[in-house]
Amino acid sequence: MLAYPVVLSQLGHIMVSVVDSMMVGQIGTVPLAAASLGNSIFTITLVFGLGVSYSITPLIAAADGRRNYTRISLLLLNGLFSNLLLGILLFIAGYFFSPYITWLNQPEEVVRQAIPYINILFLSMVPLMVFQAFRQFAEGLSLTKQAMYISVIANGLNVVLNYIFIYGKLGFEPMGLVGAGWATLISRIIMALMMGGYVLYAKRFAAFHRFLTFRHLSFVHMYHIFRLGLPISGQMVFEMGAFSFSAIMIGWLGARELAAHQIAINVASVTYMMASGIAAAATIRVGNQKGLRNYRAMQVAGTSSFVMGVLFMMISGLLMIAGKNFIPSLYLDDQVVIELASTLLIIAALFQISDGVQVVGLGALRGLEDVRIPGLISLVAYWVIGLPVGYILCFKLDFGVHGVWTGLLVGLSVAAILLFWRFKMLSSRLSK
């Protein structure tokens, strides 16, 4: 019961990219390739911000297990301030560096359309980080349904606004890919306002509002948030950065290959984000039981999360194989791209179990506040093993885009094995 609302909330983040890609694909292969490039770069910023925000949940879960309501109140204030500040900094940094996308040796027309789109996405980080602060606070208290409802509403709004802005409806001029960016920004502002209103005005949180003043800002609490959050961000950047760099390598092959990659990675991202919802639930359950010092229940919570993740991803892989020819046709009508994307979906299906195990492993380890070694594991698995294997297969052995994706399969499998072993070792040590 704890997992499914988190699953749907996590899904909300990636569905923005999925809907953008599907609706933009209807206006051409180049805009879809530009969406792929823009989202690949923006994803690095997104996961960095999300990683810091994720640290709020285990800290609050542990404090809730000890019934330390003063600490929970201070974490709400300082988590909100930290997230807002980080969101502003990420927007400024992203906007400053976006013109340098031209250095990535991508098709010129793809880059031209990607830059204004990605700048709007960078701006959307500010309201998104505010939403995350309130969401992670509520989820740390095991209140997960409200963020789910808000994510569903915001994604519905995003679809409507996409239709209006991309294609030029209700008197608006057609904006193409840029219209998808504006739709994303507006929907994320609404998400932040709704989640903030829930936390700040619901009676169940009244006990936590007494420290919501500037004089209670605490560098100690912000230090704890960033001390735990930055390694989580580092791990996520290592992982998602590998996928983003894979998109850049595929862009060297051409716009059609990049468009096919965007379709396949969209589908794989949906299942990944749903599995990361199970991982977030694992963080809450493991962190809460650790706070209670009930180490046997903590170990059971983590292990059951692994089982849930594997079962879900097995089903996802089978669905990918069954729909490998139909799913790409939802994005565009370029037959060459559709055929290429369908073959990539087979590789995506093969790495589903590994992807599920590694993301649940990261969530369970966050509940143990173990974040540094998992970050190192991600660095080695993706950047030392996965990407070099993909590069060699693609450019040296002429496997093309399939070689890059095989490298991702190898990296995910290495990460899954090492993270599962790490959780079993640490939880067994605590439960003795």
Side-chain angles (χ1 to χ4, degrees):
M1 291 299 293
L2 181 64
Y4 88 86
V6 186
V7 167
L8 295 179
S9 298
Q10 293 289 84
L11 182 61
H13 291 312
I14 200 62
M15 283 306 296
V16 171
S17 171
V18 172
V19 171
D20 286 357
S21 297
M22 292 180 71
M23 299 184 77
V24 166
Q26 303 304 311
I27 59 176
T29 299
V30 171
L32 180 58
S36 175
L37 178 62
N39 282 308
S40 295
I41 296 170
F42 174 70
T43 295
I44 299 175
T45 304
L46 174 67
V47 298
F48 184 88
L50 293 180
V52 172
S53 72
Y54 286 168
S55 66
I56 297 172
T57 295
L59 291 172
I60 287 182
D64 186 45
R66 295 190 295 269
R67 300 294 187 266
N68 188 341
Y69 299 124
T70 297
R71 179 166 171 77
I72 294 173
S73 301
L74 291 171
L75 284 170
L76 169 59
L77 171 67
N78 290 281
L80 177 59
F81 183 82
S82 300
N83 273 24
L84 176 60
L85 178 62
L86 182 59
I88 294 172
L89 292 176
L90 290 174
F91 160 61
I92 293 171
Y95 189 85
F96 176 79
F97 284 108
S98 63
Y100 298 99
I101 295 176
T102 55
W103 293 6
L104 299 178
N105 195 28
Q106 302 293 298
E108 182 179 346
E109 181 62 19
V110 171
V111 172
R112 188 184 68 81
Q113 294 192 34
I115 290 176
Y117 170 64
I118 197 175
N119 282 337
I120 301 171
L121 294 185
F122 284 135
L123 180 58
S124 76
M125 282 300 299
V126 179
L128 180 61
M129 290 301 293
V130 172
F131 168 78
Q132 280 295 116
F134 289 121
R135 172 195 164 184
Q136 300 303 139
F137 164 78
E139 290 185 356
L141 298 173
S142 300
L143 300 170
T144 59
K145 290 185 178 180
Q146 289 73 23
M148 174 190 71
Y149 297 140
I150 291 171
S151 295
V152 170
I153 293 170
N155 276 283
L157 176 63
N158 183 62
V159 172
V160 173
L161 293 176
N162 267 348
Y163 179 74
I164 295 172
F165 295 156
I166 293 173
Y167 308 126
K169 305 296 181 180
L170 300 181
F172 287 87
E173 290 293 322
M175 301 182 193
L177 181 58
V178 171
W182 287 115
T184 298
L185 173 62
I186 294 170
S187 64
R188 285 177 173 165
I189 291 173
I190 298 300
M191 287 172 66
L193 292 174
M194 292 177 70
M195 195 70 202
Y198 167 65
V199 171
L200 295 176
Y201 294 102
K203 290 183 178 180
R204 67 172 63 187
F205 298 119
F208 305 125
H209 294 164
R210 54 190 175 131
F211 292 120
L212 293 181
T213 59
F214 282 109
R215 67 190 181 90
H216 287 111
L217 288 174
S218 165
F219 287 110
V220 173
H221 283 83
M222 283 187 273
Y223 168 76
H224 284 299
I225 290 169
F226 282 105
R227 181 181 65 83
L228 183 59
L230 288 176
I232 296 174
S233 290
Q235 172 274 313
M236 294 178 71
V237 167
F238 290 146
E239 178 184 353
M240 301 308 293
F243 281 84
S244 295
F245 190 74
S246 295
I248 292 170
M249 288 197 293
I250 291 168
W252 299 337
L253 299 173
R256 277 179 164 160
E257 287 82 358
L258 190 56
H261 168 79
Q262 176 65 5
I263 294 170
I265 204 67
N266 254 195
V267 178
S269 297
V270 169
T271 59
Y272 167 83
M273 290 305 289
M274 293 180 76
S276 73
I278 298 173
T283 299
I284 298 168
R285 294 178 63 201
V286 170
N288 191 262
Q289 294 303 318
K290 182 174 180 284
L292 292 170
R293 294 181 172 83
N294 191 346
Y295 299 122
R296 180 63 64 181
M298 175 199 74
Q299 187 177 39
V300 170
T303 302
S304 63
S305 297
F306 277 109
V307 173
M308 288 176 61
V310 168
L311 291 175
F312 172 76
M313 296 301 260
M314 284 178 62
I315 296 171
S316 298
L318 293 174
L319 291 174
M320 283 184 189
I321 293 174
K324 64 184 178 64
N325 295 316
F326 170 71
I327 294 172
S329 67
L330 297 174
Y331 287 77
L332 76 178
D333 59 3
D334 187 322
Q335 194 58 38
V336 174
V337 175
I338 290 172
E339 291 177 1
L340 189 55
S342 68
T343 60
L344 296 182
L345 284 174
I346 295 175
I347 302 176
L350 293 176
F351 67 53
Q352 288 301 290
I353 293 178
S354 294
D355 205 11
V357 170
Q358 67 89 24
V359 71
V360 172
L362 290 167
L365 289 169
R366 281 197 291 270
L368 297 177
E369 298 184 31
D370 178 52
V371 292
R372 297 183 185 277
I373 297 301
L376 180 61
I377 289 172
S378 295
L379 174 63
V380 172
Y382 303 118
W383 290 89
V384 178
I385 299 174
L387 281 177
V389 168
Y391 181 86
I392 292 170
L393 291 174
C394 177
F395 297 104
K396 301 300 182 182
L397 299 180
D398 294 325
F399 280 84
V401 64
H402 302 96
V404 176
W405 272 68
T406 302
L408 295 175
L409 168 62
V410 172
L412 285 166
S413 299
V414 171
I417 293 169
L418 294 178
L419 291 168
F420 178 75
W421 172 81
R422 175 79 178 168
F423 175 78
K424 296 298 289 185
M425 182 189 70
L426 292 181
S427 60
S428 296
R429 184 184 299 169
L430 286 170
S431 61
K432 287 182 179 178

